[in-house]
Each structure stands twice: as C-alpha cells, then as structure tokens.
Amino acid sequence: MNDSNTAHLGAPARRLDVIIVGAGFGGMYAVYKFRELGLAIQGFEAGGNVGGVWYWNRYPGARVDLPSIDYSYAFSPEIEQEWTWKEQFAAQPELLDYINFVADRLDLRKHIQFNTRVTSAVWDEARQLWRVTTDQGDVCEAPICIMATGPLSIPKDPEIPGLASFKGDLLRAAKWPHQPVSFAGKRVGIIGTGSTGIQIIQEIGPQCGELFVFQRTPSFTMPMRNEELTPDYVAEVKRNYKSIREAALNSAVGGVRPTSTRGFFTVTPRQRQSLLEDAWKQGGLNMLGTFSDLLLNEEANEHVAEFVRGKISEMVKDPATAEALKPRGYPIFARRPCLDNTYYDTFNLPTVHLKNCLVDPILEITERGVRLESGEVELDMLILATGYDGLTGALMAFDVVGRGGLTVNEVWKSGARGHLGLMMAGFPNLFLTTGPTGPAALANIIRTSEHDVDWIATAMAHMDAKGLTAMEPTPAAEDRWMAIVAALAERTLVSKAKTWYVGANVEGKSQGLTMFTGGFVKYREYCRTAAEAGYTDFTFEPAREMATA
Ligand code: NAP
C-alpha cells in the first residue's frame, strides 16, 4: 500500500487498492476475496459490527425465510464443515452467531472500520481513483470501489403526521435496541404488516398486555413449519454440500427449493386442490413451487390466492377479523411471500386487536398513541415495521459522483439503471453487489453476493493482465440490459403489486421493476458471457501517468 499525499484535493488520503462499503454478507466476502488476492483493502460499515441487516434487525421473531443451509456461504468448504446449523430457518441470533463465526474464523474485522458511514465517493478522473470520505473524517483513495450496501439498508418511517410527538416508547424494527424489550402489561401498537411486521406480531402478541395491529395492506403468509435439524440430517448435508451448492447455482432463485414444470390448468381441479393442500402441510415456499405458472398466469395465481384466503377463514375465529386479514387486489407472491409460525392464531387472542386502516385510516400519531378516523388508540409503545427505501436507497443516500460530475442520484432519478446489476455507465470501477438491476431481492442474496464478488475479481484480473486500469459498461450495453430487464418485467406478475420491489412504498420515488426476473441461472449466464466474450460491453482505459505517480 502507498501512502500518498493528495493535499491538492483536500485532506490527505490513504491509498488502497480496493474500498468496500458495507459489511453484510456481500461486503464480508469481498473483504476476504480481495485480501486473499494480496490487495490493500479497507471496509467501512455504519453498524457496530459485521452482519448488515442481521446486525440491525434484532427485533423479536426475526428469522430468515430461506433454509439456513442455503442461506450460508459456499466459498469455504472448511466453514461449511465447521459450522452446524440448528434450525431449518435460523433465527436472527443464530444468523448473527454464524456471521461472527465467519468474521472470526477468517480474521476479517481488522480490515473493516465499524461505526463509520461513507459520506461520499468521487471518481478522480485524472488519477483514476475513487476518493471516499466518511463521517469519521477518513479520506481514502483506491482504483476500485465496491458498494456492498445491500438492497434493504435504508429504513423508512411512515409518512404519518405527528410521529415525533409520541411520548411513549418508539421502536423501529430495523434499528432494534440491543437490550431486551419487555412488552408485559403494555399497550403496544405496531404499524406495518409485511414480512417484518408479521414476524414481530406473532412473537410479541402473546407477551403484550394488549397489541394493536394497524394494518393497511394485508400480506399473504404461509406456514413456515420450521424445525430443529437433527444430527443425522446435518451430517448428510455436510457430506453433500458440493451437490447442494451446485443445485442452488443452477436453480432460478439460487437456492434448493421445490419447483415444478406443471402448469396450473394442466391438472384437474381436484388434483390442484390436493397438491395445494400437500404444499400447505409441507410449508415453506412449497406453494410457489407447486405449479410453474403462478407468477405468469393471473387466473392460476388467483386460484392459489383464494386457497390461502380459505385457510385464513379456517384459522381466524372471528369472521370480520379473518375477512380483514385476507389480501385482495394484488397477486399472491407479487409481494414478498411471508412465512409464519402462528401469525393467524395470534388474532384469536382476546388481547390482540386488528385495526383495518383501509377502512379506518390513521390520521396522525399523537402524544398518547395513534389517531384513527374512528378515534384515538392510546399506547405505551409504538413499533414501526414500515419497510425500507429498497434497492436504490443506499446509494442515493450519499454522494456517489462518477465521470464529469455525474451522480448516481441523477442517473437513478427515473429508476435504477445499470449493466448486469454490477456496474453503471459513467462510473468507472464502481462495482455493486446485489445491485438493483440484477436479481437482487429475487434470488438468494448470499449466492448472488458470492457470484458478484467473483465476477468483479475476474474483471480486475482481466484489467491487470491487459495493463488496463478502469472499466465501465458502454451506454449501449446498459440500454440493451435495461431492455432485457424491462421485457422480462412485462411478463411477470411481480410488477402488479405496489411494493418496495417497484419503488411504490416511497413517496415520489420512480416506480417500475428494475430487478432481473429471468432467474439466477440465466443471470449467471449473461454475466459469464459478458466476461468470456472479452468484455465487449465495456470500455477500458489504460493507466495514465498521473495514476502511477
Ligand atoms: P414491507 O414489506 O415494505 O412492509 C412495510 C409495511 O409497512 C407494509 O405493511 C406497509 O403497508 C406498512 N406501511 C408503510 N407505511 C405505512 C403507513 N404510512 N401507514 C400504514 N402502514 C404503512 O417491509 P418489511 O416488512 O420490512 O419487509 C421488507 C423486506 O425485507 C421483505 O420484503 C423481505 O424481502 C425482507 N424481510 C425478510 C425477512 C425474512 O427473511 N424472513 C424478514 C423481514 C423482512 P402498505 O403495504 O399498505 O404500504
């Protein structure tokens, strides 16, 4: 590493080879990968430790909704053998233990500066370096900057007047306190019934004096049927990790999950019913995998939605509450499908009250609680599970300035753009992991992170071999990629719900599906081809004299 004084650009900068922003799954793997390549690296992380969303989201009931076996790193056979998962769907403490185990085992923390938020990243065109500053006064420079900032790292408060006036305890799911929180004897309110809200509600419902659930849009949720993993099962998995990973890489979602080639209307109504009943009993995401066309055929989708609505009626005793819990008006699976353990049972407790904000809207938050059109609900505690400025929020939250003063904020004003989810025209050597124009939230984020970091390393090796220092996609390649993304988005029902997937949850945000919905296998193929075809979609620059000075 060189320490060069670049005082002509402001504060003296520390010179590095690679700067990595974020220390979730993607950032940690990037730190490991580039350290092993012998490069001078520095990671920055706003949180106090590794873990990303799993560091912040310590709310009661937080749990992964993919099998833990899949939701883990594949790059280290040693770690696969040394770590033993306890539950099929691990809870947040087990996930954080795993992440910390990996950080310790690979000695990653010494490369990451915690409690540090990156405030700007500016491309210095003359010197072909990214200049990165932080809220702790750091100034670093490196030819390569990797934004491992994740699709869900900017939590979003609801746009409800009066939030600041609430005098009780205000808790945010995405910034949950590190100390235990007691709900006993308290009147607790929760706003938000997405994946996060559902997990919190089922966990704390029985613990609260009273729980008031302020629901605007109901979510579809299906039984998780979580279980402890037996030693025999774990041993079997450890023997077969290689083939499990292979299967995940060759699946549409980057994980081992049931899939089918059977179209919904190719079987009789009686067979459909029996297949759906089986899937419901098995739990997990079996429902989605029962038929091949549930995200393509609106009529098939509605049949499955109606099946789940029927289950809600069976589980929730009060018919009016059951009715209010039934999602309508958007396709099932178009919002992130939730998996629960006891969500619907929670509403059978006499102390849990559903407030249907579609018919009785929230007017304001007051000193004492939440005022609905029908009157005020007094609360001791209010929990916000109101989601994130997803996909683009993290990179639009600070100054990322590319060639000629071009900012990510300008480029993404009308929606995310990029090539392969990995790079953007005008931003040389700025690499994204799980970027908003790749599969992002639609595939296993760990498989995608590993894939993306490996792709970046290969691209860097290509530049090294050819004596090149900077690469970026051509505007034409980016246009072609965005056209592919848009054409796929047209076909899928995922576009048809108002969710964070399409930016609909943030006021004033440009809306549209920019994630690649063609599946993980196809995505990998596009990325592989881009490299194997000699990076013809990219322009490269040779080293300039100043950069090596
Ligand atoms: P979300 O799905 O965006 O849900 C936010 C909830 O807040 C929605 O119910 C929304 O209602 C409600 N809300 C927002 N503003 C409101 C307002 N002004 N008034 C009333 N309600 C309001 O966010 P999330 O639940 O945090 O989930 C985000 C993503 O995180 C998930 O899709 C998933 O990818 C991930 N996640 C995964 C897990 C897991 O692995 N198990 C767990 C948690 C989260 P409307 O829909 O009406 O706007």
Side-chain angles (χ1 to χ4, degrees):
M1 191 206 312
N2 301 318
D3 274 320
S4 68
N5 189 326
T6 54
H8 63 290
L9 284 170
R14 192 151 63 97
R15 177 66 201 270
L16 299 150
D17 295 322
V18 184
I19 296 169
I20 297 153
V21 186
F25 275 108
M28 278 174 57
Y29 178 51
V31 165
Y32 170 74
K33 179 95 187 179
F34 296 112
R35 181 194 64 193
E36 294 304 289
L37 290 172
L39 300 175
I41 49 172
Q42 178 65 56
F44 290 109
E45 165 58 50
N49 209 330
V50 290
V53 286
W54 300 108
Y55 171 83
W56 296 105
N57 282 263
R58 296 158 185 264
Y59 61 79
R63 188 179 285 286
V64 66
D65 60 3
L66 297 177
S68 324
I69 302 295
D70 267 340
Y71 197 75
S72 52
Y73 285 123
F75 71 85
S76 164
E78 293 79 22
I79 286 174
E80 284 178 338
Q81 294 306 315
E82 289 166 23
W83 180 261
T84 296
W85 289 106
K86 297 193 202 89
E87 285 189 282
Q88 190 191 4
F89 297 97
Q92 180 269 345
E94 189 182 2
L95 287 160
L96 203 54
D97 283 352
Y98 169 74
I99 295 165
N100 278 299
F101 170 79
V102 175
D104 289 338
R105 174 72 172 73
L106 303 176
D107 199 11
L108 299 182
R109 280 197 199 82
K110 66 182 179 202
H111 305 292
I112 304 164
Q113 188 173 312
F114 296 102
N115 299 307
T116 303
R117 197 169 273 285
V118 167
T119 46
S120 73
V122 181
W123 176 245
D124 177 344
E125 204 149 341
R127 297 166 62 243
Q128 295 169 310
L129 294 171
W130 280 98
R131 183 178 172 88
V132 170
T133 59
T134 77
D135 63 359
Q136 301 301 309
D138 307 277
V139 185
C140 293
E141 290 179 338
I144 307 284
C145 182
I146 298 179
M147 296 295 183
T149 40
L152 292 168
S153 43
I154 304 291
K156 195 192 138 287
D157 279 353
E159 289 91 3
I160 302 174
L163 186 60
S165 65
F166 183 61
K167 292 265 194 298
D169 295 331
L170 184 67
L171 298 181
R172 291 173 171 85
K175 286 194 180 153
W176 198 262
H178 288 215
Q179 304 74 31
V181 175
S182 169
F183 307 96
K186 292 192 179 142
R187 287 170 66 89
V188 179
I190 179 165
I191 303 178
T193 51
S195 302
T196 303
I198 283 174
Q199 291 189 330
I200 296 174
I201 291 160
Q202 66 180 5
E203 188 74 18
I204 69 168
Q207 301 175 39
C208 297
E210 282 189 279
L211 177 65
F212 298 85
V213 176
F214 300 96
Q215 171 192 272
R216 191 163 62 184
T217 308
S219 295
F220 286 98
T221 168
M222 286 149 284
M224 180 177 262
R225 312 244 186 259
N226 192 21
E227 51 188 29
E228 285 187 14
L229 300 178
T230 65
D232 283 354
Y233 176 80
V234 171
E236 178 75 7
V237 165
K238 287 191 179 183
R239 275 194 297 277
N240 291 298
Y241 258 127
K242 211 161 179 262
S243 55
I244 292 170
R245 301 311 190 193
E246 210 44 49
L249 286 174
N250 290 304
S251 75
V253 292
V256 184
R257 191 186 287 181
T259 53
S260 172
T261 50
R262 176 178 45 217
F264 187 80
F265 292 108
T266 62
V267 297
T268 65
R270 186 194 285 251
Q271 284 170 315
R272 281 181 224 147
Q273 185 70 15
S274 142
L275 286 163
L276 289 174
E277 288 290 354
D278 284 350
W280 186 267
K281 273 191 209 112
Q282 286 157 12
L285 285 175
N286 280 282
M287 299 276 294
L288 181 55
T290 307
F291 301 99
S292 59
D293 48 357
L294 297 184
L295 275 170
L296 300 171
N297 183 327
E298 227 161 335
E299 207 184 330
N301 183 289
E302 177 54 22
H303 275 274
V304 178
E306 198 47 33
F307 174 86
V308 176
R309 292 185 199 114
K311 290 290 178 196
I312 296 173
S313 282
E314 285 172 26
M315 289 181 284
V316 178
K317 290 189 185 129
D318 174 49
T321 306
E323 209 46 44
L325 283 166
K326 290 179 186 172
R328 297 192 188 278
Y330 67 89
I332 185 170
F333 309 121
R335 285 172 176 259
R336 167 86 171 201
C338 310
L339 301 182
D340 71 281
N341 295 315
T342 53
Y343 182 64
Y344 292 113
D345 294 336
T346 310
F347 291 92
N348 293 328
L349 295 171
T351 48
V352 175
H353 317 286
L354 183 66
K355 298 288 179 187
N356 184 348
C357 302
L358 289 176
V359 295
D360 188 7
I362 299 176
L363 300 184
E364 61 171 338
I365 293 170
T366 65
E367 280 185 21
R368 289 184 304 272
V370 172
R371 188 186 307 284
L372 299 169
E373 211 166 71
S374 62
E376 190 176 36
V377 180
E378 289 191 19
L379 301 169
D380 303 310
M381 181 187 285
L382 178 61
I383 298 173
L384 302 179
T386 43
Y388 297 82
D389 182 356
L391 300 171
T392 53
L395 276 201
M396 292 178 81
F398 63 102
D399 285 333
V400 182
V401 186
R403 201 184 283 292
L406 188 68
T407 67
V408 169
N409 262 296
E410 281 161 29
V411 175
W412 285 1
K413 204 162 49 192
S414 328
R417 292 186 54 75
H419 188 43
L420 301 167
L422 290 160
M423 297 198 83
M424 291 172 282
F427 297 85
N429 288 1
L430 186 80
F431 295 94
L432 317 185
T433 63
T434 68
T437 68
L442 301 177
N444 179 340
I445 214 93
I446 304 179
R447 287 295 74 75
T448 314
S449 298
E450 288 178 333
H451 164 273
D452 292 354
V453 171
D454 290 345
W455 191 94
I456 297 165
T458 307
M460 284 164 60
H462 173 81
M463 284 198 279
D464 267 0
K466 304 268 179 191
L468 303 166
T469 46
M471 68 183 282
E472 67 183 287
T474 64
E478 192 171 285
D479 286 347
R480 278 196 301 277
W481 178 249
M482 294 314 297
I484 292 169
V485 166
L488 288 164
E490 284 275 299
R491 294 178 58 216
T492 169
L493 299 180
V494 172
S495 312
K496 302 220 164 175
K498 291 189 171 162
T499 63
W500 68 270
Y501 284 175
V502 297
N505 66 328
V506 178
E507 257 179 34
K509 186 167 176 171
S510 154
Q511 294 190 30
L513 187 63
T514 65
M515 286 187 285
F516 177 79
T517 52
F520 190 54
V521 180
K522 199 79 194 149
Y523 172 68
R524 287 174 53 234
E525 200 179 302
Y526 274 115
C527 295
R528 192 172 51 242
T529 305
E532 286 173 1
Y535 297 95
T536 48
D537 285 350
F538 297 82
T539 53
F540 291 87
E541 286 178 28
R544 297 213 187 102
E545 263 175 52
M546 276 183 76
T548 54

